[in-house]
Amino acid sequence: MNGFLRFLTSARTSWIVLVVAFAGVAALFVLGSGASSETAPGSGLPDSAESVQVDRILDTFPDADTTSALLVYASDDGEALPADTVAAIQQKAFGDLVDLTPDGFIPPPQVSEDGTVALLVLPLTPEEDVEAQSERAAEIRTLAADGLDGVRTYLTGPEGFEVDIAAVFDGADFSLLLTTVIVVAVLLLITYRSPWLWLVPLVVIGTADASAGIVARRVAALAGVELDASVTGILSVLVFGAGTNYALLLIARYRDELRLAEDRREAMGRAVRGAGPAIIASGSTVALALATLLLGELSGNRALGLACAVGVVVAMAFALLVLPAALVLFGRWLFWPYIPRFGSPDAIARSPWGKLGRAVSHRPVVVAIAGAVALGALASGMFFVQTGLSQNDRFLQTPDAVKGQEVLAEAFSAGATSPATVMAPVADAAEVVEAIENIDGVDSARVVEETTDWTRIDVTLNASAETPEAFAAIERMRADVDDIGSGQTLVGGLDARALDVAGAQERDQALIIPLILVLVFLVLVVLLRAFVAPVLLLIAVVASFFSAVGAAWWLFQTPLFGFPAIDTNVLLFSFLFLVALGVDYSIFLVTRAQEETRTLGTTKGMIRALAATGAVITSAGILLAAVFAVLGVLPLITLTQIGVIVCIGVLIDTLLVRTVIVPAMAFIAGDKFWWPRRPAVTDAEAAAEPEIPPAPAQRRKREPVS
């Protein structure tokens, strides 16, 4: 270990680390990610899902290689569309739009009973490339609206929603990266109050982020996993947040060691030795917790887990290897105007966080109870949380496809735009149609086409897409058709797919959440070689999660947000990020307390650890909260909700749990906090010592102060 640290920080070898890192990053950029284009998020359901089985059977039908766009024409004044307007819409079915269809045919337009809305179904060939699909949609919109006055035109249906969801992520990586860099730069500048120190960690972590994106895509390709734009956006935020946290911890320790060592390279070696275990434990915890998503059913969850686990490992490597080598290139002047001078007074002893720790130690039971009450009050919103967003509710800004869907729902049957697709064996088809027509929530059922084995039946529901009423109707259909004929009839379509996704998400949560808790507990046990401390830390971080979700729910109900529900995958991702990242701050605090306890005892060791880490952890928490809040720049409610919940949770962890509740629990437990180990110095043995001892003896090593 000592040899490695000397290689990392020595004047003769530290530059080699930077050269190797630069060459590796350059090679990654030359190699590239291997991705030819961006992809929009998909459902990610496993092959066993009933809706996926329906889609697979649909692939055997003659028109399997087609999709459709719905062109909605609505009167501006709410009156019936004039006859010449309807004729013009009819003419479009024989005009330029026909050139975009695979068979050169567009069915005649359907006009609502009140005559105010016309619907034109445009068959299309599926387009995998997002950019090409977007260009085609723009052409369709232009041709559809050309020559029509007094009419609003919307592109909706499967094609419309795919295009609008892709548009949400168009340029997402750049906008997220730019906003994240600005937020991190401003907060680092405020934290260090130096005109140039902030540049070093920003450049290192920025390079780590760029490298992580390429490495994650390469690893995902090898694993047969596809990363969409939402995953890469979260990856960038996570790498910047976690990487900057590690950088803050290392630089804070380096600043302390510069007061104790005349040689800055020796100080950096001691800083890496002191902060390294906490950073490794923290990064490993986050990476392993993220890796649990690989056990999920939904491919989107697996993609996020794989990519983000790789990203955290890359961020940790850059923070522990590249950042120390980069910092020691410069002298102490890098910290100007607050230069840590060799032999200067112990700043830890004067820390206001130490005063807070001493105050908590006087009344730990009262403080712990007050903290628990505060967390409980924040968590009260959990009793009212609603989950599940419909397709129309997932956008912060209403796109064209949603507006068109709403117009259609008012003019036609609510479920006309997203019929359920039922696949029945040919011999059972007639009986299936008859049974479905008698099911509550069904408007109509009709046979569309059939092959030698299967009959396709389109079922129109009387409920809007992806609503509880639509899901209930799908469940009733599935239950009833199972008892007909061979029992092989399957129910698919948009609502069925959304229902399957919700079910898969629930199963993923039931598996992954307990697994994360067990994993984090085992990491803490190995790190601290104790059982009581890990249990208390885990209880605290889980309580902060419930508080964050409860507080966020109250916030979501305000006019500022007005969200009707929390999306199905938000709770799992928020739990993952908050438990994995939230326990980071407790790891930073408790590992330092473990170090100080060897000479000061549990109580005084915790007070000094709080004094030593208070400022850096608070800065790191505020920065991480701000970075996750950046997800709100995308007009997709799911990412905004994740960003808000994680932001609130990190602030709770930073300002309440780590600052007050964890120290209070340690003071209450005393030496039993480290059970079954007995601390080298017990509280009783440390009682006669000064409350905050002088700084350790300085090791003098002659080197001109640079």
Side-chain angles (χ1 to χ4, degrees):
M1 181 66 177
N2 290 335
F4 171 74
L5 291 178
R6 282 194 298 272
F7 181 84
L8 194 64
T9 60
S10 168
R12 289 181 294 182
T13 55
S14 60
W15 63 270
I16 298 177
V17 176
L18 296 178
V19 169
V20 171
F22 175 79
V25 171
L28 282 176
F29 277 92
V30 171
L31 186 63
S33 65
S36 57
S37 63
E38 286 288 356
T39 59
S43 67
L45 284 167
D47 292 340
S48 59
E50 189 165 335
S51 58
V52 174
Q53 295 180 47
V54 169
D55 290 340
R56 200 161 51 239
I57 296 173
L58 273 174
D59 288 340
T60 65
F61 278 69
D63 60 351
D65 57 346
T66 62
T67 182
S68 64
L70 303 183
L71 290 171
V72 181
Y73 298 89
S75 170
D76 271 340
D77 55 12
E79 300 294 329
L81 294 168
D84 58 341
T85 300
V86 175
I89 296 172
Q90 170 79 43
Q91 186 59 37
K92 288 185 180 296
F94 304 99
D96 294 335
L97 285 174
V98 172
D99 296 336
L100 301 176
T101 64
D103 299 323
F105 172 75
I106 300 176
Q110 306 170 44
V111 181
S112 62
E113 290 184 5
D114 59 7
T116 61
V117 176
L119 169 64
L120 195 63
V121 180
L122 180 64
L124 295 170
T125 302
E127 177 59 68
E128 297 285 338
D129 185 84
V130 172
E131 185 177 350
Q133 188 181 39
S134 178
E135 291 174 356
R136 183 174 67 180
E139 183 180 3
I140 291 172
R141 288 188 172 109
T142 300
L143 294 174
D146 184 39
L148 294 178
D149 296 323
V151 177
R152 288 170 286 128
T153 307
Y154 305 100
L155 175 65
T156 186
E159 184 78 3
F161 273 100
E162 286 180 17
V163 169
D164 284 344
I165 290 176
V168 168
F169 295 98
D170 183 30
D173 286 348
F174 177 77
S175 59
L176 273 176
L177 180 61
L178 179 61
T179 309
T180 302
V181 168
I182 292 173
V183 168
V184 170
V186 170
L187 291 176
L188 285 177
L189 189 59
I190 294 172
T191 299
Y192 292 129
R193 294 171 293 169
S194 168
W196 38 66
L197 173 58
W198 60 277
L199 286 169
V200 179
L202 184 63
V203 170
V204 171
I205 302 305
T207 306
D209 172 61
S211 303
I214 298 174
V215 174
R217 285 191 180 278
R218 286 288 175 179
V219 172
L222 291 174
V225 175
E226 188 174 17
L227 305 185
D228 61 54
S230 65
V231 171
T232 55
I234 294 176
L235 169 64
S236 187
V237 167
L238 183 62
V239 170
F240 259 100
T244 309
N245 274 359
Y246 304 151
L248 285 170
L249 185 67
L250 178 68
I251 293 174
R253 189 62 179 258
Y254 179 44
R255 186 198 295 267
D256 292 339
E257 296 295 343
L258 283 172
R259 296 187 176 95
L260 306 177
E262 190 173 4
D263 184 345
R264 71 177 187 275
R265 298 181 184 276
E266 179 187 350
M268 178 56 76
R270 289 160 62 179
V272 174
R273 186 182 294 109
I279 293 174
I280 292 172
S282 169
S284 300
T285 302
V286 177
L288 289 172
L290 287 162
T292 60
L293 288 175
L294 293 172
L295 301 176
E297 286 187 29
L298 294 173
S299 63
N301 290 352
R302 296 197 298 273
L304 181 71
L306 179 62
C308 290
V310 170
V312 168
V313 171
V314 171
M316 183 170 56
F318 270 78
L320 285 175
L321 301 177
V322 181
L323 183 60
L327 287 169
V328 294
L329 286 179
F330 308 96
R332 295 170 187 260
W333 59 266
L334 188 64
F335 289 86
W336 186 88
Y338 300 97
I339 300 175
R341 303 290 182 182
F342 171 60
S344 58
D346 181 15
I348 296 176
R350 304 190 307 272
S351 169
W353 300 101
K355 296 178 182 178
L356 175 63
R358 285 190 289 273
V360 172
S361 69
H362 295 324
R363 298 179 182 273
V365 175
V366 173
V367 170
I369 293 174
V373 170
L375 291 178
L378 292 172
S380 60
M382 284 290 297
F383 293 105
F384 307 97
V385 167
Q386 301 292 322
T387 58
L389 288 174
S390 70
Q391 189 169 241
N392 288 5
D393 292 330
R394 289 199 173 101
F395 301 90
L396 287 174
Q397 300 170 356
T398 308
D400 202 46
V402 171
K403 293 176 183 177
Q405 191 92 344
E406 291 172 349
V407 170
L408 281 179
E410 291 178 5
F412 296 89
S413 174
T417 59
S418 57
T421 302
V422 177
M423 283 295 169
V426 172
D428 301 334
E431 191 177 353
V432 167
V433 171
E434 182 180 356
I436 288 177
E437 288 179 333
N438 294 322
I439 294 175
D440 184 30
V442 172
D443 264 359
S444 63
R446 65 187 182 91
V447 173
V448 178
E449 56 183 332
E450 66 180 27
T451 63
T452 54
D453 298 317
W454 294 97
T455 299
R456 173 184 168 181
I457 304 167
D458 277 2
V459 180
T460 301
L461 307 179
N462 57 21
S464 297
E466 296 187 60
T467 58
E469 295 78 13
F471 292 152
I474 295 295
E475 289 175 334
R476 285 192 290 270
M477 270 196 288
R478 284 178 168 174
D480 288 358
V481 300
D482 280 347
D483 298 328
I484 296 175
S486 63
Q488 294 179 313
T489 301
L490 302 169
V491 179
L494 176 65
D495 293 314
R497 186 184 304 119
L499 182 62
D500 289 342
V501 168
Q505 195 69 52
E506 289 178 4
R507 291 189 291 275
D508 282 358
Q509 288 180 12
L511 170 67
I512 292 170
I513 286 178
L515 192 58
I516 291 172
L517 293 176
V518 171
L519 191 60
V520 171
F521 176 74
L522 292 176
V523 170
L524 289 173
V525 168
V526 172
L527 175 67
L528 302 176
R529 290 171 295 153
F531 284 103
V532 173
V535 169
L536 295 177
L537 294 179
L538 211 55
I539 290 173
V541 77
V542 170
S544 71
F545 164 75
F546 286 115
S547 301
V549 175
W553 178 253
W554 293 128
L555 190 61
F556 292 159
Q557 300 309 294
T558 64
L560 177 64
F561 292 102
F563 296 156
I566 292 177
D567 207 2
T568 52
N569 59 355
V570 166
L571 292 180
L572 174 60
F573 292 162
S574 299
F575 182 87
L576 171 63
F577 291 132
L578 278 180
V579 171
L581 295 171
V583 82
D584 275 4
Y585 303 118
S586 295
I587 287 176
F588 294 163
L589 172 65
V590 175
T591 52
R592 184 61 181 263
Q594 188 179 42
E595 180 183 338
E596 300 292 348
T597 296
R598 296 180 189 131
T599 56
L600 299 176
T602 300
T603 299
K604 292 181 180 179
M606 180 60 74
I607 293 172
R608 184 167 175 83
L610 188 59
T613 63
V616 64
I617 292 179
T618 300
S619 299
I622 293 173
L623 189 145
L624 184 64
V627 166
F628 264 92
V630 168
L631 286 173
V633 304
L634 296 177
L636 198 65
I637 286 180
T638 299
L639 294 181
T640 299
Q641 290 179 339
I642 292 173
V644 170
I645 292 174
V646 175
C647 175
I648 294 173
V650 168
L651 292 176
I652 291 173
D653 269 321
T654 304
L655 303 177
L656 179 60
V657 173
R658 183 270 315 168
T659 306
V660 174
I661 295 178
V662 169
M665 291 191 299
F667 297 144
I668 293 171
D671 293 332
K672 293 179 181 178
F673 189 70
W674 309 108
W675 187 87
R677 286 192 304 110
R678 180 183 182 275
V681 176
T682 64
D683 273 346
E685 294 168 343
E689 296 294 327
E691 190 165 345
I692 297 293
Q698 297 164 350
R699 300 179 186 176
R700 295 186 176 272
K701 180 176 180 181
R702 292 296 175 187
E703 178 199 56
V705 178
S706 52

